[in-house]
Amino acid sequence: MSLADDLYRETILDHYHNPRNNGSIENASATVEGVNPLCGDELTLYLKLTPTGLIEDVKLTAHGCSINTASGSMMSEAILGQSVERAQEIIEDFKTMMLTKEDETVFEDELEELEALRGVKKYPVRIKCALLPWNTLLEGIETARQAQAK
Amino acid sequence: MSLADDLYRETILDHYHNPRNNGSIENASATVEGVNPLCGDELTLYLKLTPTGLIEDVKLTAHGCSINTASGSMMSEAILGQSVERAQEIIEDFKTMMLTKEDETVFEDELEELEALRGVKKYPVRIKCALLPWNTLLEGIETARQAQAK
Amino acid sequence: MSSSVEFDVEKIRRDFPILDRVIEGKRLVYLDNAATSQKPSQVIKAITNYYEQYNANVHRGIHTLSEEATVAYEAVRETVREFIGAEETCEIIFTRNTTEAINLVAYSWGKQNVLPGDEIVLSPMEHHSNLVPWQQLAAEREAKLVYLDLTEDGQINMETAAQLIGPKTRLVAITQMSNVFGTINPVKELAHLAHKNNAIILVDGAQGIPHLKTSVADLECDFYAFSLHKMLGPTGVGILWGKKTLLEAMPPFMFGGDMISSVHRDKTKFNELPWKFEAGTPNVADVIASGVAVDYLNNVGMDNVRAHEIAITRYAIEKLSEIKDIVIYGPLDATKRGGVVSFNINGLHPHDLGQILSDNGVAIRAGHHCCQPLMKDLKVMGTARASFYIYNTLEEVDLLLAALKEAEKVMGHVACR
Amino acid sequence: MSSSVEFDVEKIRRDFPILDRVIEGKRLVYLDNAATSQKPSQVIKAITNYYEQYNANVHRGIHTLSEEATVAYEAVRETVREFIGAEETCEIIFTRNTTEAINLVAYSWGKQNVLPGDEIVLSPMEHHSNLVPWQQLAAEREAKLVYLDLTEDGQINMETAAQLIGPKTRLVAITQMSNVFGTINPVKELAHLAHKNNAIILVDGAQGIPHLKTSVADLECDFYAFSLHKMLGPTGVGILWGKKTLLEAMPPFMFGGDMISSVHRDKTKFNELPWKFEAGTPNVADVIASGVAVDYLNNVGMDNVRAHEIAITRYAIEKLSEIKDIVIYGPLDATKRGGVVSFNINGLHPHDLGQILSDNGVAIRAGHHCCQPLMKDLKVMGTARASFYIYNTLEEVDLLLAALKEAEKVMGHVACR
Ligand SMILES: Cc1ncc(COP(=O)(O)O)c(C=O)c1O
Ligand SMILES: Cc1ncc(COP(=O)(O)O)c(C=O)c1O
């Protein structure tokens, strides 16, 4: 299996070509922009929380590479409908997977797809591409909570 | 003949240990200080010109190395009693000798001693030591002339 | 300086050990020369030889090693002076890179000469290094940045330039050659416009000097900045050239050893040019090796370098144009530009392209190339960029094309969403 | 980090190719280590290997060479962090040398924090690099330079220091070890005095770190600057370490590629630490080789380095003391100082000494050692200085002594006029 196959395995390409939750939200609880300083890729994330702290809706507008777009797409599926606490756990797990050398992260069944991104670790420069949506989401959650607290 | 012998040949050592025209002049036409930025060596040159432009007196106070001190001492002998124009010629010749790779400078009999300094050229860093008194003299002549012009 | 030796790319390639590098089972095809060039063994050996034979601190040492190091270090100034057609050796100042050279001017000349209301004229194709320092200076001084207009194919619109450069202009800062478009800018005409308005002109030669026979006297510029690492030299050496009268009037930038004439507890007399601008222990080994890099280019002959690059660029543009959905930026006439070809293939993100090419041994660059404002003008996040140098061959262009085909296959080339 | 390997100077010497150099028929005796150290073949090979195998521009490249270069370059930050006992990798900033590191602080921190009437406290034994930047900043800001007192044998008078460092003090700038006296300064006590007065302390580690096991945490300093070329590394690399909170609050120093997060025509967002302070293409090859230099010192073990230097310094002081009319500067107790021995022999100008020693293969330094104010305090034009490192032997001290005898003979040693 060539590296190219590895990196662009079907799951990633599927999400790249048909990104889930692509678009925007009118009355979002939070709208945040993320940028990858190394390549300039940008991304806007819209988040809507219920008063009880569930992620009611999430949308992304990205002009990124396949990794970036696919990562955002998979993320949106993984967190939609979850509680903020659970979303933060997933973010934590994902970042551990991407940033730990020999990680032992295991994603449960419905999050299994995320493991497709583990292959990106072979390309250190692109880890940032994969992390961008997740870091933006962290910021979004923070912003939405502050807005709710007011 | 070792390089040490070469550089510190007798003439230089003689002038170093017994520098001619060492001291200061009370009513100098010009008093100028020279400094070698690379080593910090300092030198004060006192110059007295006649109204007709003869070098009536020259004195040096140096705290320099052998090359610096000897060069100043020989210089003072070479220019004492000369016209400013002649002194400038001698300075020119000396600088040519020190700064030209394969120089063909020949000093006439009474200036012959100056050739002892040609050996310094093998030590590029020390050319500045040898030139310091001469550059200071150039400045001194300039200063004295400006003073006279007033 | 130019050479009568014939240009033999295979002979040249043998001087570059890295070209034997194998990546993922394929021989390296290095097409990222606008980022940094590779180094011939002559340059690498100059570094080894320095450290094995005469490494010492320069200028103040009286022992043999220090004298040898000082002579070799200072000799490079003369080599560089001749190479760029400058008048005086003392106008050559060693810095770390182009970026530091430009910052030196912004700090030292800028703070003395740019006043509120003054204008600094730039092109929209400037590298961040020739943009951000002026942006910061303008903000600090309440001066204004003025951007020139570009034509459709990435050349400077000289008609509006004649209006935009005016009596308020203090400085024109312009790249000799664009690292995105490859455009070779009409520096001399811009210099005339600047001088007519009593302004000065700084030329960013980072992309120009490695590829074009250059004379700062012919360009009629006032400052010229470049990096040796883009022209066969080691990393860590840049050059600032400036007109002596300008440099002499400028205050020092950094303070410390070597740039002083005498220091007292409460005041300091500064050294003369060029040392006034070189504080602390310089990058001795790399400066010496930089001289060898310039010698190497002189031996090849800059006319030969240029001719080779025109040939390879023409071929590359021709081949790339055959790709469906490709956009090639900058002038298409290879004689109007250097060997830097930026492009986008619709539906393929440059990052993905770059990655898959790399997996095929082909090194190109993908991204904003430190020209974010230009990317915004072009309405793209970035581009893919192949850039050539003396050791690249037409065959390598074919390998690039083959790898691009492979990338389209892997990514399942679809039109941009 | 410290090593259990035994210290074997002969084995170490074999790693340094330059030590085989023959000068005027005599084997080189290199005693100018305080100016710059020699380099082991491991370090030289790291440079060669970089250029032959994976030379590329760092950070923004997506191809294999660029990824390899970036990983290797960034890994050195962690190596350095551990070596100097810093907390965070992002606190390690690559500069050209100590001088640039200090200028960075003077420009960036200084302009934001030093106000009219403030005081900057220095010692009279500071190198020009840790003096002139503060002198200039003080002049620009209408702040005041305050000099600490020295004892007879070149140590800081801590009694008056407690008075001189006071509520007006903004910054204490002090060398960890004097490059003239060899004195090791009580940095930690000075840090306490500074912090008690809400001032910060910058330590010039150029002479300290190569010879003394150092932890910035233990020193309790706020900034620490040093040069790799004095500790087995290549020329062209310095380090600024600073406390994260301080660095984060500081504006960038130089502007250009790599130090930005996003650039617009009229404004720029800067990158995070450490890149905020690294503009343009860095000195990649030499930074990577610097990591190898630190590894080498770790292997030798800094405790071993220090023990060896104490032994050789003690022997040198003992032998030199036997010379008639010699003045040795600084503390005579070898445990209170580093391996730098400055001296004057009455009637012999240091320049002449240096020259004749060089003709005998012995490289020492002669002059003001970039400490002119100190020379004025000592009422000399300069001194001769022998300085030792891990590859020097007691036998080489004997050769120094023999060469000094020769110099006295050549010069016809006479009492000072
Ligand atoms: C104590 C001290 N500080 C600063 C420096 C300056 O170091 P560099 O020239 O590498 O910037 C030196 C060395 O020359 C030094 O000995
Ligand atoms: C046009 C242009 N200007 C400036 C630079 C900056 O050069 P350096 O990173 O060597 O300072 C570059 C290269 O990256 C460039 O292409």
Side-chain angles (χ1 to χ4, degrees), chain C residues 236-282:
Chain C
V237 182
I239 302 281
L240 173 67
W241 168 84
K243 281 201 183 131
K244 193 175 171 185
T245 47
L246 286 169
L247 292 174
E248 275 179 340
M250 282 155 59
F253 174 33
M254 290 205 236
F255 306 94
D258 249 35
M259 54 71 69
I260 59 95
S261 162
S262 69
V263 177
H264 301 259
R265 281 193 170 207
D266 55 349
K267 65 171 194 289
T268 290
K269 244 184 89 189
F270 300 118
N271 205 339
E272 54 194 14
L273 288 179
W275 305 286
K276 177 169 99 175
F277 290 109
E278 294 176 13
T281 303

Side-chain angles (χ1 to χ4, degrees), chain C residues 280-281, chain D residues 34 97-99 127 129 175 177 179 204 206-207 227 229-230:
Chain C
T281 303
Chain D
N97 48 28
T98 308
T99 305
H127 187 280
S129 294
T175 188
M177 175 176 137
N179 66 319
D204 173 353
Q207 294 296 335
S227 296
H229 71 86
K230 294 189 200 276

